[in-house]
Amino acid sequence: MKRQAINPANDWGARFEMNQAEIISEFNEIIKFSGQTSIIADNNSEMGLSVKYPNDQKKQMEFILNTIDNLLYQAKMSRNNIIHISFYTTDMEGFLESYEVYSNWIKEAGVRPTQSAIGVNQLVMPDMKLEIEITGAR
């Protein structure tokens, strides 16, 4: 896969580990993730599911990024295959405070995927603060 970053002259996105745009070429496959959350199996709950780290966005971010690593591994891919990431949060201020977790995680891969951070009123469960979608290619 070949990547060509497209950024404004001042490249302000670099400090957020993101490109404003990328041309992706010479790839064979795309992987598209469903929204990843901090939901875990819980036989004691009515739905059989609960939120890991309720209302703690930083811990939820760490948990979700670990899940993404595991899914990428199963697909025989890694973080450097990520070409876009979308964050959905019910607490933008909390998201920005915990953004360093993501920034350090993606910096290890040496890529700056395009990204979107979208504030929403509610996610699937009330204690859930964050959902992350990934698109990758190889």
Side-chain angles (χ1 to χ4, degrees), residues 14-134:
R15 66 178 239 228
F16 296 100
E17 299 304 320
M18 66 180 276
N19 287 315
Q20 294 301 308
E22 280 191 307
I23 297 172
I24 308 295
S25 60
E26 300 178 23
F27 66 93
N28 296 315
E29 298 176 309
I30 290 180
I31 186 170
K32 180 73 175 142
F33 283 58
S34 293
Q36 299 301 301
T37 65
S38 56
I39 289 179
I40 58 170
D42 181 356
N43 293 333
N44 296 320
S45 76
E46 187 176 319
M47 290 178 44
L49 302 167
S50 64
V51 176
K52 181 88 168 171
Y53 309 114
N55 294 310
D56 186 333
Q57 189 154 206
K58 184 175 183 179
K59 290 285 191 187
Q60 288 182 23
M61 172 98 66
E62 292 168 350
F63 182 86
I64 295 166
L65 294 176
N66 185 57
T67 300
I68 290 168
D69 275 336
N70 290 331
L71 291 170
L72 286 167
Y73 177 79
Q74 289 179 52
K76 296 180 177 42
M77 293 186 180
S78 65
R79 295 176 200 166
N80 66 352
N81 294 104
I82 297 171
I83 59 173
H84 183 77
I85 185 164
S86 293
F87 301 95
Y88 300 90
T89 181
T90 60
D91 174 12
M92 190 58 74
E93 185 176 316
F95 170 76
L96 294 172
E97 289 171 5
S98 61
Y99 186 83
E100 184 178 330
V101 173
Y102 165 76
S103 182
N104 290 333
W105 178 83
I106 199 65
K107 194 180 298 186
E108 291 176 7
V111 295
R112 293 179 9 196
T114 59
Q115 61 180 265
S116 300
I118 302 156
V120 297
N121 289 330
Q122 184 177 336
L123 293 166
V124 172
M125 299 176 112
D127 295 338
M128 190 182 298
K129 296 291 183 189
L130 183 65
E131 184 168 332
I132 301 175
E133 287 182 351
I134 297 282

